[in-house]
Amino acid sequence: MDYTLLLNNFSKHITLTKKEQEFTLSLFDYKKLHSKDTLLEQGDICKQSAFVLNGCLRGFTIDSNGFEHVLSFAPKDWWIGDMYSLISKKPGNLNIETMMDSEVALLSKKNQDILYDRVPKFERFFRIIIEKSLVAFQQRLNDNLSLTAQDRYLKFCKTYPQLINEIPQKQIAAYIGVTPEFLSKLRAKQAKAK
Amino acid sequence: MDYTLLLNNFSKHITLTKKEQEFTLSLFDYKKLHSKDTLLEQGDICKQSAFVLNGCLRGFTIDSNGFEHVLSFAPKDWWIGDMYSLISKKPGNLNIETMMDSEVALLSKKNQDILYDRVPKFERFFRIIIEKSLVAFQQRLNDNLSLTAQDRYLKFCKTYPQLINEIPQKQIAAYIGVTPEFLSKLRAKQAKAK
DNA sequence: TCAATTTCTTAATCTAGGTTAAGTGTTTTT
DNA sequence: AAAAACACTTAACCTAGATTAAGAAATTGA
């Protein structure tokens, strides 16, 4: 298991000594997953955050009509978890699943608290990670309030160019908030317009 | 100016000595605002966060057709700022305005950084504040992806009971993501159904 | 390798919510 | 206290996107 990506992720916001690096990595669990494996199911209490070393996961909910809504994609170098459940310690309604064979580094809430205690720099690290995540969600909510489906799709293509050919279209539809049929129609219109 | 509310807000997540309290408060600026005063305009670089002591503010964007979209209401005891602009130091597209006469305690980004340095507990404090804000935005995005306008309105009424009779209906419409005309129609239908 | 499953497309029809417009309160300003 | 500005309602008509359904293409897997 290669944790280089994780160490580089830390070093974007904080500087760790060799000792701190070793201690920190010792708190993570490495896990190899197959495509469509489940990491968290709605109704569960989320007890860990995942850092994606390789592959891609998705966080999604299932509404009362059985439709899925993708709240986040987590490709390589991203963090994913159910923040609501993680901090409230109550059952959440997020599902987390791999979209292809993936490798993750798992940090349990318990170990995260130890980490905050022993290497307080991580208070800052996760504050910054969460700030960026907050900005992304605010931006996305604003997009959903102000843009057409067409524009949201174009924006998605710009934001996640690497994902477009890697994941099923219906997942992109569930992310931008339209049915797969409508996204298909949009793409056909777009192709013709050229 | 009475900062009791602010001190109580801190004490929800961290414990400060008398000295730390004094120092911390010295970093804030008190400001009294009239209804519809502007605290931040789109295109500006946001240089401060506001804690609402009294009254209510709103953060909103204006789209390319001139329509307003409310990203957040900040009643008494809430924080508001343009996180994107604040951390990137680039011009943001958020407007922040009072909805009634209000009092705020302002913390400049510069003073916030001093605070992180001199009272590191605040790394934790703001991490927790931001975590909660993130959870709220994720939840709201999910609501926009999965609920009808009717259900979003009902949920709004449950979440912000104190605001319903305090702020104009068109602001609620701009928050849940419908036109004022459609919200009016929803309310009429609801009233009849009883 | 070929059957089964999943994904994607196309097309007809439907509907939640938008648009336009006109009229009626209700605040705010002078 | 009148005028102006703003907020809310109602109603007719419109459209972006949903639904249903059926077939084609691609993937998965025994």
Side-chain angles (χ1 to χ4, degrees):
Chain A
M1 71 206 91
D2 180 5
Y3 279 161
T4 316
L5 195 68
L6 181 54
L7 289 174
N8 281 338
N9 192 265
F10 296 151
S11 72
K12 284 177 190 171
H13 306 301
I14 52 173
T15 303
L16 297 175
T17 64
K18 203 80 200 151
K19 272 257 142 64
E20 287 169 335
Q21 288 190 1
E22 262 169 49
F23 174 70
T24 302
L25 292 186
S26 79
L27 297 177
F28 281 81
D29 288 319
Y30 172 85
K31 200 164 183 181
K32 203 163 190 140
L33 298 159
H34 293 122
S35 187
K36 294 192 181 167
D37 278 355
T38 294
L39 204 63
L40 181 76
E41 211 154 345
Q42 68 188 144
D44 290 354
I45 295 178
C46 180
K47 298 209 163 95
Q48 56 192 7
S49 309
F51 175 80
V52 183
L53 296 163
N54 228 314
C56 186
L57 317 211
R58 60 193 258 261
F60 63 100
T61 59
I62 302 175
D63 70 26
S64 55
N65 299 311
F67 290 107
E68 294 186 358
H69 305 282
V70 173
L71 283 185
S72 54
F73 290 120
K76 191 200 262 219
D77 205 27
W78 288 52
W79 291 87
I80 189 167
D82 182 346
M83 181 65 72
Y84 165 76
S85 177
L86 219 40
I87 67 181
S88 71
K89 288 169 181 165
K90 288 192 257 183
N93 58 339
L94 200 70
N95 300 273
I96 299 179
E97 218 181 77
T98 50
M99 307 182 72
M100 56 189 78
D101 292 354
S102 305
E103 294 169 282
V104 295
L106 299 171
L107 178 64
S108 71
K109 177 67 170 143
K110 220 167 105 190
N111 281 352
Q112 188 169 20
D113 286 337
I114 292 174
L115 188 57
Y116 285 142
D117 217 60
R118 296 272 292 276
V119 192
K121 280 177 242 185
F122 274 96
E123 292 274 5
R124 161 171 302 226
F125 176 77
F126 283 108
R127 173 177 58 76
I128 294 173
I129 292 288
I130 293 163
E131 277 175 359
K132 283 169 184 271
S133 182
L134 175 59
V135 166
F137 272 98
Q138 282 183 344
Q139 182 57 61
R140 190 162 154 216
L141 176 64
N142 190 53
D143 290 346
N144 275 277
L145 291 173
S146 58
L147 300 180
T148 62
Q150 172 101 254
D151 288 343
R152 273 176 278 141
Y153 178 62
L154 289 173
K155 202 157 176 181
F156 180 89
C157 293
K158 267 185 203 151
T159 313
Y160 294 95
Q162 76 285 20
L163 286 186
I164 295 164
N165 298 307
E166 291 289 324
I167 67 176
Q169 249 179 68
K170 58 181 278 202
Q171 301 298 347
I172 300 177
Y175 180 96
I176 64 174
V178 295
T179 57
E181 293 84 356
F182 189 67
L183 178 55
S184 183
K185 197 152 100 185
L186 282 183
R187 284 165 44 88
K189 192 168 14 169
Q190 221 172 280
K192 197 154 35 163
K194 289 232 301 188
Chain B
M1 72 206 89
D2 181 5
Y3 280 161
T4 315
L5 195 68
L6 182 54
L7 289 174
N8 282 336
N9 193 264
F10 296 151
S11 72
K12 284 177 191 171
H13 306 301
I14 52 173
T15 304
L16 298 174
T17 64
K18 203 81 200 153
K19 272 257 142 63
E20 287 169 336
Q21 288 190 1
E22 264 169 48
F23 174 72
T24 302
L25 291 186
S26 78
L27 297 177
F28 281 80
D29 288 319
Y30 172 86
K31 200 162 183 182
K32 203 165 189 138
L33 299 159
H34 293 123
S35 187
K36 295 193 181 167
D37 279 354
T38 294
L39 204 64
L40 181 76
E41 211 154 344
Q42 69 188 144
D44 291 355
I45 295 178
C46 180
K47 298 208 163 95
Q48 57 192 6
S49 308
F51 175 79
V52 183
L53 296 163
N54 228 313
C56 187
L57 316 211
R58 61 192 259 263
F60 63 100
T61 60
I62 302 176
D63 70 25
S64 54
N65 299 310
F67 290 107
E68 294 187 358
H69 305 281
V70 173
L71 283 185
S72 54
F73 291 120
K76 192 200 262 218
D77 205 26
W78 288 52
W79 292 86
I80 190 167
D82 182 345
M83 181 66 71
Y84 165 77
S85 176
L86 219 40
I87 67 181
S88 71
K89 290 170 180 164
K90 290 193 257 182
N93 59 338
L94 200 71
N95 300 273
I96 299 179
E97 218 181 76
T98 49
M99 306 182 73
M100 56 189 77
D101 292 355
S102 304
E103 294 170 282
V104 295
L106 299 172
L107 178 63
S108 70
K109 178 67 171 144
K110 219 166 107 189
N111 281 352
Q112 188 169 20
D113 287 336
I114 293 173
L115 188 58
Y116 285 143
D117 216 61
R118 296 272 292 276
V119 192
K121 280 177 241 186
F122 274 95
E123 292 272 5
R124 162 172 301 227
F125 177 77
F126 283 106
R127 173 178 58 78
I128 294 173
I129 293 288
I130 293 163
E131 277 175 359
K132 283 169 184 269
S133 182
L134 175 60
V135 166
F137 273 98
Q138 282 182 343
Q139 182 58 61
R140 190 161 154 219
L141 176 65
N142 190 53
D143 289 347
N144 275 277
L145 291 173
S146 57
L147 301 180
T148 62
Q150 171 100 255
D151 288 343
R152 273 176 278 143
Y153 178 63
L154 290 173
K155 200 156 178 182
F156 180 89
C157 293
K158 267 185 204 153
T159 313
Y160 294 95
Q162 77 284 19
L163 287 186
I164 295 162
N165 298 308
E166 292 288 325
I167 66 176
Q169 249 180 67
K170 57 181 276 200
Q171 301 299 346
I172 300 178
Y175 179 96
I176 64 174
V178 295
T179 57
E181 293 85 354
F182 188 67
L183 178 55
S184 184
K185 199 151 97 183
L186 282 184
R187 283 166 44 88
K189 191 167 18 166
Q190 221 173 280
K192 198 155 33 163
K194 289 230 302 187

